[in-house]
Amino acid sequence: MSKYQHIREEAFEANLKLPKLNLVLLTFGNVSAADRNLGVFAIKPSGVPYMELTSDKMVIVDFEGNTIEGDLRPSSDTNTHAVLYKNWEDVKGIAHTHSTYATAWAQTHRSIPIYGTTHADHLTVDVPCAQPMDDDMIKGNYEHETGFQIINHFKELGLSHKEVEMVLVGNHAPFTWGENAEKAVYNSAVLEALAQMAYLTEQIHPSVNRLKDSLINKHYDRKHGSNAYYGQ
Amino acid sequence: MSKYQHIREEAFEANLKLPKLNLVLLTFGNVSAADRNLGVFAIKPSGVPYMELTSDKMVIVDFEGNTIEGDLRPSSDTNTHAVLYKNWEDVKGIAHTHSTYATAWAQTHRSIPIYGTTHADHLTVDVPCAQPMDDDMIKGNYEHETGFQIINHFKELGLSHKEVEMVLVGNHAPFTWGENAEKAVYNSAVLEALAQMAYLTEQIHPSVNRLKDSLINKHYDRKHGSNAYYGQ
Amino acid sequence: MSKYQHIREEAFEANLKLPKLNLVLLTFGNVSAADRNLGVFAIKPSGVPYMELTSDKMVIVDFEGNTIEGDLRPSSDTNTHAVLYKNWEDVKGIAHTHSTYATAWAQTHRSIPIYGTTHADHLTVDVPCAQPMDDDMIKGNYEHETGFQIINHFKELGLSHKEVEMVLVGNHAPFTWGENAEKAVYNSAVLEALAQMAYLTEQIHPSVNRLKDSLINKHYDRKHGSNAYYGQ
Amino acid sequence: MSKYQHIREEAFEANLKLPKLNLVLLTFGNVSAADRNLGVFAIKPSGVPYMELTSDKMVIVDFEGNTIEGDLRPSSDTNTHAVLYKNWEDVKGIAHTHSTYATAWAQTHRSIPIYGTTHADHLTVDVPCAQPMDDDMIKGNYEHETGFQIINHFKELGLSHKEVEMVLVGNHAPFTWGENAEKAVYNSAVLEALAQMAYLTEQIHPSVNRLKDSLINKHYDRKHGSNAYYGQ
């Protein structure tokens, strides 16, 4: 048995959750699970329908993007995963979808405003949207640069990837991450719900205000403060 | 067997209906069932996925918010349920969801206008939206204050919680209630439908008028009048 | 066995299709099936969940709205069905839903413009919307008057109920009909699709034009003309 | 066994995917599969519910639109399929749906702008919308002319049907095609997703820009360029 069996299983199970949560159409999406001691991650192979996935078909890749084990080609987004794992040391799972509402926001280049407590229970800033790459980055190693596009945007905004586990890549679609692959998928589901609710909120009341600071701080504290007690 | 078994079962069954009616994503939502003679209610534990719920996992809490029986932590919204049960004596079931359309309305701070008979068959006023708390309430016992935020809003508007069994909490999400937990969940489903229809109505015709008074009164009378005959 | 068994079965089967086609929430909706020789129709009882329906629970009613056979109270919309059957002699099935998009249009008092061939394949005029009743009609036999509200609107517009088998009742919701109960339900499904598409069409292009007359006439002819050949 | 059994099976399987992918309501839609050596295609019969389809019920038709084998009447859109097969020699599968969002765009006569990489991964131009026919074409062989309406629009725009495998027919609905029937259905699912996302994108940000050329070119190259590597 492969010494990577545990992350193969973890990535396989997490990938299967994407269609169950209505986060992917056809084959658009991929989840990976990392073992940081071994310095590798397991990721969905490219172009394989969700119905035909097995844990054995997952591809093992190192944090430079090199395939270590597996007969199939890894997802075309693999280099983006690799860059995030290499630079953000505590991330152990990453999910990428083209979920409908989050992708629509990404296509507008707008961050998703924080309008309510559903949002504040998960992150206390707007969901950031990394602006599209400069043309010279596009001509280079595109998927590799997508990783830096995300990391640089977090640096510019002064955001911590431990507190904000989701991003929109402008013109593209969302990436989410977390302490394992399941949490990354959970964050993708949360993001899609926030994206849909924010869209509807603006349709119902175009001049709506963002959530006020006192509520943002309260929700931050009940989750992250010294007396954190939040769960639902 | 626990003397609370009947409300454990009632709360368990009602919580399971939330995902079946597409009213919750992941673990966002909770239903409780009260026994007013015993002075307690059974409520969903915090952070447990719906797939893993059992009646034994429900937590028994009194109307002050103290846990009476149960190994798990009760929902973080428990104090809101407790305040409503304590102050509104005939309520025997409460449901809280983050259902998509109702939550979007709550995020706008708008009440949902009565536009048609689907609405009038259930309540003959706009669905009230309690405005966000003052900052000093937020700093206090937040979930406790959410209960008073609801009760005070009903007092200000002169509404009876027996005739209007639903409310939007501004920036947060809906609460609904009724004579038992099942009715509370039913009201959550009705509210979500009203919220979606009102949203679409305004999109299709931005200057649409509210339902005229003669129709509101007719629907009130056929449900609550001396010759009430309504059901569908 | 009841001499009405055939229409009990027909109405039962047709009522079950409403939730399968996502046309009803909870108990909001009803379908009836008529036997014109016997001068009666079978209709869903009032307030019974779809999961608990059986053919035996259908109520047999005559065209004056009198219950002829059955232990349960017939749907509160029964008098509307009765008036339509009495006045439109070839109708043998009627369906009433509160389907989301059609009801939203009804709440705006707008007829649904004919924007494409999906619409033109079923009717070659806008879906009519009967304006809300005058206040004196509302105070009378409300459900009875709803039937006349529909019939009178067709007379005003010069429409044939044989060519246009659907209507929106302003502020209320749609009614559809046909040569049997199954066709009535089919028309409810078509109407909901047309309502959603017309809503989206106006959102995508607010100044869109109605379908041009030459296309309307072509679709009328290929379905109703002397060389009709349409089906899909 | 019929010498057409292989395309009967292929068309049957592909037609069944339409309702599974939520691309059709009731009987609105049809898929065909061609054998170019035999010069025929198998297509869904007219007006048969998807639940009652079998491979034996598929109708075999030649590229002039003549029925070669089969007891049922072929889909009323058969002549459109025939014209496309006759004129576009490498097409081996065609799908036609009235999917909700794509049809709404067709009803506006607008092409669907390219707003993101979900779109660019499949085609690097706007989804073309063939304008409604002139009135004299409408009076002629309508479904036959629909085929030419599509082909002429591609000629006017200088598009290759090998690179752009989808079109909106103005006021009507989409057609898609590909190297086999399964790919044609895949393209219908992609088109519906692009149509929904573009709609939402414009709602969220009405003055949004199209995807910039450098990104369009990158996505074209990674799929079609000399070093193509795209799959997901």
Side-chain angles (χ1 to χ4, degrees):
Chain A
M1 197 170 84
S2 161
K3 65 179 173 180
Y4 307 120
Q5 191 62 24
H6 60 301
I7 51 174
R8 286 180 176 281
E9 295 286 352
E10 183 185 342
F12 169 63
E13 296 291 344
N15 271 288
L16 286 195
K17 285 194 175 171
L18 294 185
K20 282 184 191 160
L21 289 164
N22 289 317
L23 296 172
V24 292
L25 175 73
L26 304 165
T27 65
F28 310 171
N30 42 72
V31 187
S32 65
D35 183 316
R36 302 207 70 101
N37 292 325
L38 296 174
V40 297
F41 59 97
I43 191 165
K44 178 165 165 282
S46 181
V48 177
Y50 287 92
M51 296 294 286
E52 297 172 17
L53 282 186
T54 62
S55 60
D56 289 346
K57 288 182 181 166
M58 297 294 125
V59 186
I60 305 298
V61 180
D62 70 18
F63 297 165
E64 305 300 326
N66 302 307
T67 296
I68 301 299
E69 189 183 88
D71 299 327
L72 297 164
R73 199 158 48 96
S75 163
S76 54
D77 296 295
T78 294
N79 279 330
T80 308
H81 292 242
V83 168
L84 295 180
Y85 282 125
K86 184 167 183 185
N87 287 272
W88 287 346
E89 292 197 4
D90 34 15
V91 170
K92 293 185 189 167
I94 297 173
H96 171 54
T97 79
H98 287 222
S99 67
T100 306
Y101 290 89
T103 302
W105 280 91
Q107 293 189 159
T108 68
H109 304 183
R110 291 184 61 197
S111 55
I112 303 176
I114 181 169
Y115 285 131
T117 63
T118 321
H119 188 132
D121 284 339
H122 294 93
L123 72 168
T124 50
V125 295
D126 297 350
V127 179
C129 180
Q131 298 305 296
M133 289 180 209
D134 293 339
D135 288 0
D136 53 343
M137 288 171 78
I138 292 170
K139 286 174 189 160
N141 185 333
Y142 181 56
E143 292 77 15
H144 195 74
E145 297 289 7
T146 299
F148 288 110
Q149 183 187 5
I150 293 169
I151 290 168
N152 291 340
H153 194 61
F154 268 59
K155 283 184 186 162
E156 287 163 21
L157 296 178
L159 296 178
S160 160
H161 67 274
K162 298 181 193 179
E163 290 182 3
V164 179
E165 297 183 325
M166 53 185 72
V167 72
L168 304 175
V169 175
N171 281 135
H172 187 171
F175 282 83
T176 62
W177 51 88
E179 63 194 359
N180 53 44
E182 184 180 2
K183 183 69 191 306
V185 170
Y186 171 93
N187 285 331
S188 286
V190 167
L191 172 53
E192 182 65 2
L194 298 181
Q196 183 177 11
M197 285 178 181
Y199 154 72
L200 291 169
T201 299
E202 296 189 350
Q203 295 290 313
I204 293 170
H205 188 29
S207 60
V208 65
N209 292 315
R210 286 173 83 250
L211 191 63
K212 64 179 177 176
D213 286 344
S214 53
L215 274 168
I216 291 176
N217 294 336
K218 178 68 183 186
H219 279 261
Y220 185 86
D221 283 345
R222 74 173 190 166
K223 190 174 175 190
H224 297 291
S226 52
N227 294 308
Y229 60 95
Y230 178 72
Q232 194 142 22
Chain B
M1 196 171 84
S2 160
K3 65 179 173 179
Y4 307 120
Q5 191 62 25
H6 60 301
I7 51 175
R8 285 180 177 280
E9 295 286 351
E10 184 184 343
F12 169 64
E13 296 291 343
N15 271 290
L16 286 196
K17 285 196 175 171
L18 294 185
K20 282 185 190 159
L21 289 163
N22 289 317
L23 296 172
V24 294
L25 175 72
L26 305 165
T27 64
F28 310 172
N30 42 71
V31 188
S32 64
D35 183 316
R36 302 206 70 101
N37 292 325
L38 297 173
V40 297
F41 58 98
I43 191 165
K44 178 163 163 285
S46 180
V48 176
Y50 287 92
M51 296 294 287
E52 298 172 17
L53 282 185
T54 63
S55 60
D56 290 346
K57 288 182 182 166
M58 297 294 124
V59 186
I60 305 298
V61 180
D62 70 17
F63 296 165
E64 304 300 326
N66 302 308
T67 296
I68 301 300
E69 189 183 87
D71 300 326
L72 296 165
R73 198 157 49 94
S75 163
S76 54
D77 297 295
T78 295
N79 279 330
T80 308
H81 291 242
V83 168
L84 295 179
Y85 282 125
K86 184 167 181 184
N87 286 272
W88 285 347
E89 292 196 3
D90 35 13
V91 169
K92 293 186 188 165
I94 297 174
H96 170 54
T97 79
H98 287 222
S99 66
T100 306
Y101 290 90
T103 302
W105 280 91
Q107 294 190 157
T108 68
H109 304 183
R110 291 184 60 197
S111 55
I112 303 176
I114 181 169
Y115 285 132
T117 63
T118 320
H119 188 132
D121 285 338
H122 295 93
L123 73 168
T124 51
V125 295
D126 297 349
V127 179
C129 179
Q131 298 305 296
M133 288 180 208
D134 292 339
D135 288 0
D136 53 344
M137 289 171 76
I138 292 170
K139 287 174 189 159
N141 186 333
Y142 181 55
E143 293 77 16
H144 194 75
E145 297 289 6
T146 299
F148 289 109
Q149 183 186 5
I150 293 168
I151 290 168
N152 291 340
H153 193 63
F154 269 59
K155 283 184 186 161
E156 286 162 22
L157 297 178
L159 295 178
S160 159
H161 67 272
K162 297 181 193 179
E163 289 183 3
V164 178
E165 298 183 324
M166 53 185 71
V167 72
L168 304 175
V169 176
N171 280 137
H172 187 171
F175 282 84
T176 62
W177 51 87
E179 64 194 0
N180 53 43
E182 184 180 1
K183 183 71 190 305
V185 170
Y186 172 93
N187 285 331
S188 286
V190 167
L191 171 52
E192 182 66 2
L194 299 181
Q196 184 178 11
M197 285 178 181
Y199 154 72
L200 291 168
T201 298
E202 296 189 349
Q203 295 290 314
I204 292 169
H205 188 28
S207 59
V208 65
N209 292 316
R210 287 173 84 250
L211 192 63
K212 64 180 178 175
D213 286 343
S214 52
L215 274 168
I216 291 177
N217 293 337
K218 178 68 182 185
H219 278 260
Y220 185 85
D221 283 345
R222 74 172 191 167
K223 191 174 174 188
H224 297 292
S226 53
N227 294 307
Y229 59 94
Y230 178 73
Q232 195 142 18
Chain C
M1 195 171 86
S2 161
K3 66 179 173 180
Y4 308 120
Q5 191 61 25
H6 59 301
I7 52 175
R8 286 181 176 280
E9 295 287 351
E10 183 184 343
F12 169 64
E13 296 291 343
N15 271 289
L16 286 195
K17 285 195 177 172
L18 294 185
K20 282 185 191 160
L21 289 164
N22 289 317
L23 296 173
V24 293
L25 174 73
L26 306 165
T27 64
F28 311 171
N30 42 71
V31 187
S32 65
D35 183 317
R36 302 208 69 101
N37 292 325
L38 296 173
V40 296
F41 59 98
I43 191 166
K44 180 164 163 284
S46 180
V48 177
Y50 286 93
M51 295 294 287
E52 298 172 17
L53 282 184
T54 62
S55 61
D56 289 347
K57 289 183 180 165
M58 298 293 125
V59 186
I60 305 298
V61 180
D62 71 17
F63 296 165
E64 304 300 328
N66 303 306
T67 297
I68 300 299
E69 188 182 88
D71 300 326
L72 297 165
R73 197 157 49 95
S75 164
S76 54
D77 297 295
T78 294
N79 278 330
T80 309
H81 291 243
V83 168
L84 295 180
Y85 282 125
K86 184 167 182 184
N87 287 272
W88 286 347
E89 293 197 2
D90 35 14
V91 170
K92 294 185 188 166
I94 297 174
H96 170 54
T97 79
H98 287 222
S99 66
T100 306
Y101 290 90
T103 302
W105 280 91
Q107 293 190 157
T108 69
H109 305 182
R110 291 184 61 198
S111 55
I112 303 176
I114 181 169
Y115 284 132
T117 62
T118 321
H119 188 132
D121 284 339
H122 295 93
L123 71 168
T124 51
V125 295
D126 297 350
V127 179
C129 180
Q131 298 305 296
M133 288 179 207
D134 293 339
D135 288 0
D136 54 343
M137 288 171 77
I138 291 171
K139 287 174 190 161
N141 184 334
Y142 181 55
E143 292 77 15
H144 195 75
E145 297 290 5
T146 299
F148 288 109
Q149 183 187 6
I150 294 169
I151 289 167
N152 291 340
H153 193 62
F154 268 59
K155 282 183 187 161
E156 286 163 22
L157 297 177
L159 295 178
S160 160
H161 67 274
K162 299 182 192 178
E163 289 182 5
V164 178
E165 297 183 326
M166 53 184 73
V167 72
L168 304 175
V169 176
N171 281 134
H172 188 170
F175 282 83
T176 61
W177 50 88
E179 65 194 358
N180 54 43
E182 184 180 2
K183 183 70 189 306
V185 170
Y186 172 94
N187 284 333
S188 286
V190 167
L191 171 52
E192 182 65 1
L194 299 182
Q196 183 177 11
M197 285 177 180
Y199 154 71
L200 291 169
T201 299
E202 296 189 350
Q203 295 290 314
I204 293 169
H205 188 29
S207 59
V208 64
N209 292 315
R210 287 172 82 250
L211 192 64
K212 63 180 179 177
D213 285 343
S214 52
L215 275 167
I216 291 177
N217 294 336
K218 179 66 183 186
H219 279 260
Y220 185 86
D221 283 345
R222 73 173 190 166
K223 189 173 174 189
H224 297 289
S226 53
N227 293 308
Y229 60 95
Y230 178 73
Q232 195 143 20
Chain D
M1 197 170 84
S2 160
K3 66 179 172 179
Y4 307 120
Q5 190 62 25
H6 60 300
I7 51 174
R8 286 180 176 281
E9 295 286 352
E10 184 184 343
F12 169 64
E13 296 291 344
N15 272 288
L16 285 195
K17 285 194 175 172
L18 294 185
K20 283 185 191 161
L21 289 164
N22 289 316
L23 296 172
V24 293
L25 174 73
L26 305 165
T27 64
F28 310 171
N30 42 70
V31 187
S32 65
D35 182 317
R36 301 208 70 101
N37 292 326
L38 296 174
V40 297
F41 59 98
I43 192 165
K44 179 164 163 284
S46 181
V48 177
Y50 286 93
M51 295 295 286
E52 298 172 17
L53 282 185
T54 63
S55 60
D56 289 347
K57 289 183 181 165
M58 298 294 124
V59 186
I60 305 298
V61 180
D62 69 18
F63 297 164
E64 304 300 326
N66 303 307
T67 296
I68 301 300
E69 189 183 87
D71 299 326
L72 297 164
R73 199 158 48 96
S75 163
S76 53
D77 296 295
T78 294
N79 278 331
T80 308
H81 291 242
V83 168
L84 295 179
Y85 282 125
K86 184 167 182 184
N87 286 271
W88 286 348
E89 293 197 2
D90 34 14
V91 171
K92 294 184 187 167
I94 297 173
H96 171 54
T97 79
H98 287 222
S99 67
T100 306
Y101 291 89
T103 303
W105 279 91
Q107 293 189 159
T108 69
H109 304 182
R110 290 184 62 197
S111 55
I112 303 176
I114 180 169
Y115 284 132
T117 63
T118 320
H119 188 132
D121 284 339
H122 295 93
L123 71 167
T124 51
V125 295
D126 298 350
V127 179
C129 179
Q131 299 306 297
M133 289 180 209
D134 293 339
D135 288 359
D136 54 343
M137 289 171 77
I138 292 170
K139 288 174 190 160
N141 185 332
Y142 181 54
E143 292 77 16
H144 195 75
E145 297 289 6
T146 300
F148 287 109
Q149 182 187 5
I150 294 169
I151 290 167
N152 291 340
H153 193 63
F154 269 58
K155 282 184 187 163
E156 287 162 22
L157 296 177
L159 295 178
S160 159
H161 67 273
K162 298 181 193 180
E163 290 184 2
V164 179
E165 298 183 324
M166 54 185 71
V167 73
L168 304 175
V169 175
N171 281 133
H172 187 171
F175 281 84
T176 62
W177 51 87
E179 64 194 358
N180 53 43
E182 184 180 1
K183 184 69 189 307
V185 170
Y186 172 94
N187 285 332
S188 287
V190 167
L191 171 53
E192 181 65 2
L194 298 181
Q196 182 178 11
M197 285 178 181
Y199 154 71
L200 291 169
T201 299
E202 295 189 350
Q203 295 290 314
I204 293 170
H205 189 29
S207 60
V208 65
N209 292 315
R210 288 172 82 250
L211 191 64
K212 65 180 178 176
D213 286 344
S214 53
L215 274 169
I216 291 176
N217 294 337
K218 178 67 184 186
H219 279 260
Y220 185 86
D221 283 346
R222 74 172 190 167
K223 189 173 175 189
H224 298 291
S226 53
N227 293 308
Y229 60 95
Y230 178 72
Q232 194 143 21

